[in-house]
Amino acid sequence: MFITIIVPCYNEEAVIEATHTRLSSVCEEQTWDVEYLYINDGSCDQTEQLLDTLAMQDSSVRVLKFSRNFGHQAAVCAGLDHAHGDAAVIIDADLQDPPELIPTMVDMWQKGEGRIIYGKRTSRDGETWFKKWSAGAFYRLIDYLSDTPLPRDTGGFRLVDRKVIEAFKKLPERNKYIRGLFPWLGFKAVPLEYHRDARLAGETKYPLAKMLRLAFNGIFSFSRKPLQMATNLGVFNLVASLLLMVYVFVSYFSKQIESVPGWASTMLVLVFFSGIQLVSLGLLGAYVGRIFEEVKGRPEYVVEEEISCKRVNQIPNTVTLQKSSHQATEQQKLKA
Ligand code: UDP
Ligand code: MG
C-alpha cells in the first residue's frame, strides 16, 4: 500500500520543518509506504530552500515548484495530478489538521468504509469569531444553493483513493472548487470527526479577499440558483411595476397628483429598477466571466520544476517547464 501526502505550501517557512517532522513521525510507524508531495505555490520566503533541503534529506519527499502563486485549489489539483499513491491524503501545511488522524483515515479506507474519508471539524481553535461565523454562514448558503449536497464544516483535509483521483483528473473544468467536486463525483464518502487546532505559526494565507473569491467560486460553480433568483426578481418587478402603472393612471384620472408631480415615484422607480438591473447584470457577468475563463483553456497551474533526490518526473497533460530543458531550448533558439 502506497500513500501520497499532498501538502500545499504558500509562504510557510515558519511551519514547514515542524510539519514534515510531525508527518514523518506519524507515517514512519505504519505498515504502508509513503511519499510526501509538497507543492510550493510560488512562495516568496524561505519555503523553497527549506523544501529543497527536505527533498535532499528524505528520499520520500517530492517537491513541485510552481512558476508563481496559483492558489490553494490549483496546488491541490497539481498534487492529485502528480500523486503516485494508491490513495492520497490532502493536508494543510500549518498543522491545523492533525497528522495523527492519517493512519485512522487509511485504516477506514483499507477496511472498505469508503473511497473518500473526509475530516469533519467539530470545533476549531485559534480562528477569529468572524472567520468561524463567515465559514458557518457560507456552508449553510452553499448547501441551500447547491444542486449537489455538500457536507458542512468540511475543509480540504481528506483521503481520496486512486479511483477518485482518476475520476477527478478527468474533470475538464479549470476553476475547480475542490470541496464541492468530491461530493459531486459521488463515491462513498465517510466523515471522520476531529477538532481543528490553531495554526502552528505564521499567518493565514486566506485573507478576506481570497476567502470571498473561494466562496463565490464555490457558489457560481455549484449553483444556477442565483440566475434563477435574478429571473424571479425580474418577474416580481414586472408585477410591481404593473401595479404602479395602475396607481399612476388612477391618480392621474382622479386628479390626485402629488404637489411636485411625479418626482418621488419617478425617483423611487428609477433607483429601485436600476439597482435590480445592476444586480442581475452582475450575476450574469459572474457566470459569463467563468465561461470566459474556461474557454481560454489555460492550464490551472504551471510547474517550473520537480525536485526529489530519487527522480524527476514529467507527467503528460500538465504543463511542465523543466528548468534545464527550458534553458536548453532558449540556447538552441539563440544559436539558430
Ligand atoms: N495555500 C496555498 N496557496 C495560497 C494560499 C494558501 O498553497 O495561495 C496553502 C497554505 O500554505 C496552507 C493551506 O493552503 O497549507 C491553507 O491555507 P491557510 O492555512 O492559510 O488557510 P486557513 O486555514 O487560514 O483557511
Ligand atoms: Mg490554516
Side-chain angles (χ1 to χ4, degrees):
M1 215 37 81
F2 188 42
I3 309 288
T4 304
I5 314 265
I6 298 171
V7 192
C9 312
Y10 175 53
N11 292 345
E12 298 287 8
E13 62 180 3
V15 293
I16 202 68
E17 282 174 313
T19 303
H20 186 67
T21 311
R22 199 154 138 204
L23 276 172
S24 28
S25 72
V26 169
C27 297
E28 262 165 20
E29 296 163 10
Q30 308 304 321
T31 48
W32 30 267
D33 289 328
V34 69
E35 68 168 354
Y36 306 92
L37 183 51
Y38 291 94
I39 293 94
N40 177 9
D41 183 14
S43 302
C44 38
D45 63 356
Q46 290 296 308
T47 305
E48 182 176 347
Q49 287 79 351
L50 293 171
L51 286 176
D52 287 357
T53 315
L54 284 183
M56 292 310 128
Q57 285 168 352
D58 185 342
S59 60
S60 49
V61 170
R62 288 163 65 203
V63 179
L64 285 184
K65 184 189 163 197
F66 279 3
S67 58
R68 65 168 170 87
N69 178 247
F70 281 90
H72 182 195
Q73 307 288 298
V76 174
C77 290
L80 291 167
D81 286 342
H82 291 77
H84 294 149
D86 300 306
V89 175
I90 304 160
I91 187 166
D92 285 354
D94 57 2
L95 292 179
Q96 276 193 287
D97 309 311
E100 288 71 23
L101 284 185
I102 295 175
T104 319
M105 285 181 159
V106 176
D107 242 31
M108 289 168 75
W109 166 64
Q110 279 183 319
K111 281 186 198 145
E113 288 182 32
R115 288 191 183 277
I116 301 176
I117 314 289
Y118 61 92
K120 189 173 166 65
R121 311 165 205 179
T122 49
S123 53
R124 38 209 290 181
D125 264 354
E127 280 168 343
T128 58
W129 68 267
F130 176 74
K131 175 120 188 179
K132 285 185 204 171
W133 173 83
S134 55
F138 169 68
Y139 285 127
R140 269 140 207 85
L141 177 68
I142 194 144
D143 201 28
Y144 162 71
L145 291 175
S146 166
D147 311 323
T148 317
L150 306 180
R152 287 184 187 177
D153 301 318
T154 304
F157 185 38
R158 69 182 69 222
L159 175 145
V160 287
D161 84 353
R162 181 49 55 191
K163 274 234 163 90
V164 181
I165 297 175
E166 291 308 320
F168 184 88
K169 279 158 71 175
K170 285 201 188 103
L171 294 171
E173 64 204 88
R174 273 148 239 287
N175 232 322
K176 291 195 179 94
Y177 177 63
I178 298 171
R179 290 173 198 184
L181 283 172
F182 283 125
W184 182 90
L185 284 171
F187 295 97
K188 190 173 178 205
V190 184
L192 174 62
E193 293 193 340
Y194 74 106
H195 163 77
R196 188 159 213 238
D197 287 327
R199 191 171 237 287
L200 183 72
E203 304 232 303
T204 174
K205 308 298 173 309
Y206 264 103
L208 186 63
K210 254 191 188 173
M211 228 161 71
L212 284 177
R213 211 178 309 147
L214 181 74
F216 282 123
N217 197 7
I219 291 172
F220 294 131
S221 36
F222 271 86
S223 178
R224 284 190 305 267
K225 275 201 186 122
L227 282 177
Q228 284 156 14
M229 280 177 194
T231 316
N232 294 348
L233 219 60
V235 172
F236 171 78
N237 274 296
L238 201 73
V239 174
S241 59
L242 283 175
L243 292 177
L244 213 72
M245 245 149 75
V246 173
Y247 165 75
V248 169
F249 275 119
V250 169
S251 49
Y252 180 78
F253 287 114
S254 59
K255 309 275 186 240
Q256 287 171 347
I257 302 168
E258 300 149 45
S259 53
V260 182
W263 185 84
S265 48
T266 309
M267 285 308 282
L268 206 85
V269 170
L270 203 75
V271 171
F272 184 64
F273 283 94
S274 51
I276 298 290
Q277 278 170 7
L278 282 178
V279 168
S280 312
L281 266 180
L283 285 176
L284 272 178
Y287 287 95
V288 173
R290 295 183 65 79
I291 298 172
F292 177 60
E293 288 300 321
E294 296 294 330
V295 164
K296 279 192 287 188
R298 289 186 191 155
E300 279 165 285
Y301 55 85
V302 177
V303 175
E304 188 175 331
E305 57 182 338
E306 178 174 338
I307 301 140
S308 82
C309 67
K310 263 194 200 158
R311 59 200 163 215
V312 173
N313 292 298
Q314 293 239 15
I315 308 288
N317 298 330
T318 57
V319 176
T320 306
L321 302 177
Q322 286 298 332
K323 232 183 195 171
S324 46
S325 57
H326 182 62
Q327 280 163 357
T329 43
E330 288 293 315
Q331 277 166 4
Q332 280 162 8
K333 263 192 221 159
L334 279 177
K335 268 188 197 162

